[in-house]
Amino acid sequence: MAKKSNQSKTLPIYILNGPNLNLLGQREPEVYGYTTLPQIEKMCAEQAAAHGLSIVFRQSNREGEIVDHLQEARTSGAAVIINPAGYGHTSIAILDSIQMLKIPVIEVHLSNIHRREPYRNHSYVSKGATGIIMGLGAQGYLRAIDAVAENLKVKK
Ligand code: CA2
């Protein structure tokens, strides 16, 4: 009979992306860079694997669907990395969902929202985030994975 392993596998990092990020690389590259979302997903999967971790990578243009993904992460994720895109500036529902999580949450923005239009300077998501990384382009996602990996190692 096969031996039961007592090594518990770490749950995946949920990497959630908000509205319009599916169009990355196609418009405004001077603000958001040339890297497309599928390329970011591949980079994230490789970075997570280097830490012995896995990812669930999602993008949605719908606020309620992002809430659903955050609720899923409550029970099925080790941590959340979220670029809420435009919803970061408007969504109390997404903040509420984040505040229900008992796992680390890193907010990522490709651009530095504090250097941009005043309506982008405030993020509701920041109130619920463990940490925030912005202005580093696609590299920000990788640094967020590093931060999560460190955090999970400390907790082991
Ligand atoms: O800098 C970021 O990552 C943002 O979250 C991106 C959002 C913006 O609303 C936030 O203020 C900052 C916009 C994502 C729109 O994505 C585009 C993709 C391709 C072309 C133009 C926009």
Side-chain angles (χ1 to χ4, degrees), residues 85-105:
Y87 285 143
H89 313 303
T90 62
S91 179
I92 293 172
I94 289 177
L95 171 60
D96 286 343
S97 308
I98 286 173
Q99 287 182 324
M100 287 171 198
L101 297 174
K102 293 191 176 73
I103 54 179
V105 177

Side-chain angles (χ1 to χ4, degrees), residues 20-21 23-24 27-28 32 83 85-86 89 109-111 120:
N20 299 308
L21 287 167
L23 298 179
L24 268 186
R27 280 183 44 230
E28 299 184 68
Y32 299 119
N83 182 346
H89 313 303
H109 294 280
L110 297 155
S111 62
R120 294 186 199 276

Side-chain angles (χ1 to χ4, degrees), residues 45 47 50 52 55 69 140:
Q47 189 74 6
I55 63 166
H69 294 158

Side-chain angles (χ1 to χ4, degrees), residues 97-134:
S97 308
I98 286 173
Q99 287 182 324
M100 287 171 198
L101 297 174
K102 293 191 176 73
I103 54 179
V105 177
I106 312 293
E107 177 182 6
V108 170
H109 294 280
L110 297 155
S111 62
N112 177 351
I113 61 173
H114 297 295
R115 291 183 70 171
R116 302 193 59 198
E117 303 93 330
Y119 58 84
R120 294 186 199 276
N121 296 164
H122 175 263
S123 164
Y124 283 102
V125 165
S126 298
K127 177 114 182 83
T130 312
I132 307 162
I133 297 173
M134 64 172 78

Side-chain angles (χ1 to χ4, degrees), residues 16 66-74 80 94 97-98 101:
L16 305 180
I66 296 169
V67 167
D68 289 342
H69 294 158
L70 285 163
Q71 290 189 6
E72 186 183 311
R74 268 180 87 208
V80 168
I94 289 177
S97 308
I98 286 173
L101 297 174

